[in-house]
Amino acid sequence: MRLFFALELPGKLAMQIDDWRQRQLPQAGRPVPPANFHITLAFIGELSERRLEQLCLETDTLLEQHQFVGDKLMLDQVGYWPKPGILWLGPKRWSASLNTLAGALATRGNAVGSKRKRGDYRPHLTLCRGCQDPPAAPTHMGNFGFSYSGFTLMESRSGRQGVSYSSVAEWQLLPHNRC
């Protein structure tokens, strides 16, 4: 199984981002289907069923030992990574707690056999792949904020229709205080 931890976007927000992308970035690479929009927390890679169970137990233990809190994420910046040819949408700022959660999940993945090296965490949503050149900057940024109260372990499957993602397991975070 090819796995990753992610924040899922509300369906309505995914459709708003897709509509904005079509109007603001029409010539940019191969568009990612809105059903696949997510914010990756940690890419795990290939794991066997046995290691999957171990990863889920490790994640349960992590959340029992640490007080991770849900929060809000504002997707207010467009970026481009030339080497993989990826156009992305992400936050200019995000909480230290999200950084810590992403790092802890990557560490749990490494503990059960993931061989992924982790650089600095950069939350983002991939808008387009295969961008040969940097796309023109959008003339208008949308207001794409959402609250998250949990995260999902997703499986990535390749098929005739492209890549699809399905939920394997979900975890809740502590509620965010709005004082």
Side-chain angles (χ1 to χ4, degrees), residues 48-173:
S48 66
E49 289 283 339
R50 183 176 57 80
R51 297 216 184 242
L52 167 62
E53 186 175 332
Q54 188 180 355
L55 177 62
C56 289
L57 291 172
E58 291 277 342
T59 304
D60 290 341
T61 301
L62 170 68
L63 294 179
E64 289 168 6
Q65 295 174 346
H66 299 282
Q67 303 290 308
F68 291 105
V69 176
D71 204 349
K72 185 166 177 137
L73 203 55
M74 181 61 66
L75 305 177
D76 54 0
Q77 180 179 29
V78 173
Y80 171 69
W81 291 321
K83 188 172 181 180
I86 289 177
L87 178 66
W88 53 266
L89 177 66
K92 290 179 185 173
R93 291 180 210 84
W94 59 93
S95 70
S97 177
L98 187 61
N99 255 3
T100 303
L101 176 61
L105 293 171
T107 298
R108 295 314 177 277
N110 290 337
V112 300
S114 172
K115 299 193 176 23
R116 296 289 170 193
K117 293 180 182 165
R118 183 175 185 266
D120 291 337
Y121 178 63
R122 167 52 123 158
H124 68 282
L125 177 155
T126 301
L127 293 168
C128 298
R129 297 181 184 283
C131 299
Q132 300 290 328
D133 299 307
T139 57
H140 168 72
M141 276 303 298
N143 184 17
F144 304 125
F146 72 102
S147 295
Y148 60 90
S149 59
F151 62 93
T152 305
L153 181 61
M154 306 289 287
E155 179 182 8
S156 173
R157 293 183 184 147
S158 295
R160 289 183 189 165
Q161 303 299 323
V163 176
S164 65
Y165 304 135
S166 60
S167 174
V168 174
E170 296 179 7
W171 290 267
Q172 289 300 305
L173 302 171

Side-chain angles (χ1 to χ4, degrees), residues 2-16:
R2 188 174 169 90
L3 302 167
F4 61 93
F5 287 104
L7 300 177
E8 292 188 86
L9 272 66
K12 184 177 179 180
L13 177 62
M15 297 312 293
Q16 290 171 343

